[in-house]
Amino acid sequence: MEQRTEIASMGEFGLIDHLTRNNETRQASTLLSIGDDAAVIDHFGRQTVISTDILVEGVHFDLMYTPLKHLGYKAVAVNVSDICAMMATPTHITLSIALSNRMSVEAVEEFYEGVYAACEQYNIDLIGGDTTSSQKGLFISVTAIGEIRNDQFVTRSGAKVNDLICCTGDLGAAYAGLQLLEREKRIFLENPGVQPDLQQKSHIIGKILKPEARLDVVEWLQEQQIVPTSMMDISDGLSSDILHICRASETGCIIYDEKLPIDPETKEMAQEFGLSGTSCALNGGEDYELLFTISQSDYDKIVLSEKISVIGYITAAEEGMHLLTRQGNKHKLVAQGWQAF
Ligand code: TPS
């Protein structure tokens, strides 16, 4: 009988490793291939960064509560975030969409309004793509291109023992926002007369519907001449993503529970759902904040930025990956973030 392996048994990253195990590098200009937030090629002497991300209706967004303008913005921002995660500056995107016949020209225009707003925000040009039809909802794929301005791209694999682990912004908010929108959807479907009151939750709803890439932080780090030793963006959740840095760098880590930046709206929402703010921050996903390590000598400069929190430090691989609570308890960090399969 023919062998049939469930994709879920491998998971997203196991599947990628499996499918690319025989992929060869033929071009001397390929500086960094599959496995990081973006690839890097030497384009006639300049380091160029390339990344692709896909958004699928029903998996990445629900059109019942997602305004199309926000969706257009998000499709660009999540790709720009991957470029930022290499310490690169985004310059161009291509956009491919498969449109379902449920959509009108006006609806697609609304989506493009968001795309153009993001292009303006990040100072990038939309230079091409593909437009086709779909029988199964809306599919959006963006490829983003960026440039390294100082020949110093940053990968996931450079973290060293005793480096400090930093993240930008706050964590868990997008997850809390998604839970809130899903709850209001359920209430609305049961009783369409009820008006949701989302006024008090604009931060968490903003984080899920219209995230921002942290280009501002990349630029600040460049101004301060801080070169992180490793970097990635947080899309699946801190617990999963810090493990990527530790595996790639062959290190362990300690994360301090009490140092995790969590917005009060996230904590409130977590409580309503019987969760802790910490579990939202660790496992939520779609934060699109930057996660990076710096050498201790950069600490004095890093604390000058209100946008950055120091949340832990890198240890030797043998020490494993742990969360340290305020009470001094050590919990093994388990990747419990978003799983694509
Ligand atoms: C309707 N979600 C989707 S993709 C993702 C998360 C946390 C992580 C990054 O994905 N269901 C709906 N909307 C959502 N936003 C989610 C679930 C949550 P990728 O690794 O594909 O970039």
Side-chain angles (χ1 to χ4, degrees), residues 29-286:
S29 56
T30 303
L31 302 180
L32 185 69
S33 187
I34 299 161
D36 220 289
D37 289 74
V40 186
I41 61 170
D42 179 331
H43 190 65
F44 302 104
R46 291 182 77 147
Q47 293 180 349
T48 301
V49 177
I50 305 166
S51 173
T52 292
D53 228 337
I54 193 164
L55 296 182
V56 176
E57 184 175 349
V59 177
H60 296 86
F61 58 88
D62 183 332
L63 286 179
M64 192 161 167
Y65 52 73
T66 308
L68 283 163
K69 188 171 171 181
H70 291 78
L71 185 62
Y73 194 96
K74 181 170 177 174
V76 178
V78 301
N79 278 275
V80 168
S81 181
D82 280 329
I83 299 294
C84 291
M86 308 303 289
M87 277 289 279
T89 306
T91 54
H92 304 83
I93 55 162
T94 63
L95 168 68
S96 298
I97 41 175
L99 300 165
S100 63
N101 53 14
R102 278 183 295 131
M103 289 180 79
S104 63
V105 172
E106 289 73 18
V108 187
E109 275 178 337
E110 222 179 286
F111 173 81
Y112 264 77
E113 258 182 64
V115 169
Y116 288 125
C119 286
E120 191 167 342
Q121 171 69 22
Y122 300 114
N123 193 28
I124 53 184
D125 294 342
L126 171 64
I127 53 164
D130 195 9
T131 307
T132 188
S133 65
S134 156
Q135 310 279 338
K136 287 267 178 197
L138 177 60
F139 293 76
I140 308 154
S141 172
V142 174
T143 296
I145 300 169
E147 60 186 34
I148 302 286
R149 298 236 156 117
N150 51 5
D151 270 1
Q152 269 172 330
F153 64 87
V154 177
T155 68
R156 298 176 176 186
S157 62
K160 300 274 175 306
V161 175
N162 292 331
D163 280 356
L164 301 173
I165 301 171
C166 305
C167 74
T168 59
D170 62 283
L171 305 179
Y175 178 78
L178 180 64
Q179 299 316 306
L180 174 58
L181 291 172
E182 287 283 344
R183 181 181 74 186
E184 295 306 316
K185 175 183 163 179
R186 282 193 299 274
I187 294 172
F188 178 79
L189 288 176
E190 281 160 23
N191 186 353
V194 176
Q195 285 292 322
D197 176 17
L198 305 175
Q199 293 282 329
Q200 307 304 315
K201 297 286 188 288
S202 57
H203 176 67
I204 59 174
I205 289 175
K207 284 286 280 188
I208 183 71
L209 294 181
K210 186 177 171 284
E212 293 289 354
R214 300 313 303 260
L215 184 57
D216 56 331
V217 174
V218 169
E219 287 170 350
W220 184 83
L221 290 168
Q222 284 166 342
E223 276 162 28
Q224 301 297 315
Q225 298 186 335
I226 299 171
V227 182
T229 48
S230 70
M231 196 183 233
M232 67 181 296
D233 75 341
I234 307 179
S235 56
D236 293 336
L238 177 67
S239 70
S240 301
D241 290 331
I242 189 65
L243 299 192
H244 286 304
I245 285 192
C246 289
R247 288 212 184 102
S249 302
E250 297 177 22
T251 66
C253 71
I254 294 277
I255 301 283
Y256 295 107
D257 181 3
E258 68 200 281
K259 301 277 187 198
L260 293 175
I262 305 171
D263 189 86
E265 277 184 26
T266 307
K267 287 184 189 163
E268 242 174 72
M269 208 61 234
Q271 210 170 19
E272 281 187 37
F273 283 100
L275 299 167
S276 68
T278 301
S279 73
C280 289
L282 285 176
N283 308 322
E286 288 192 286

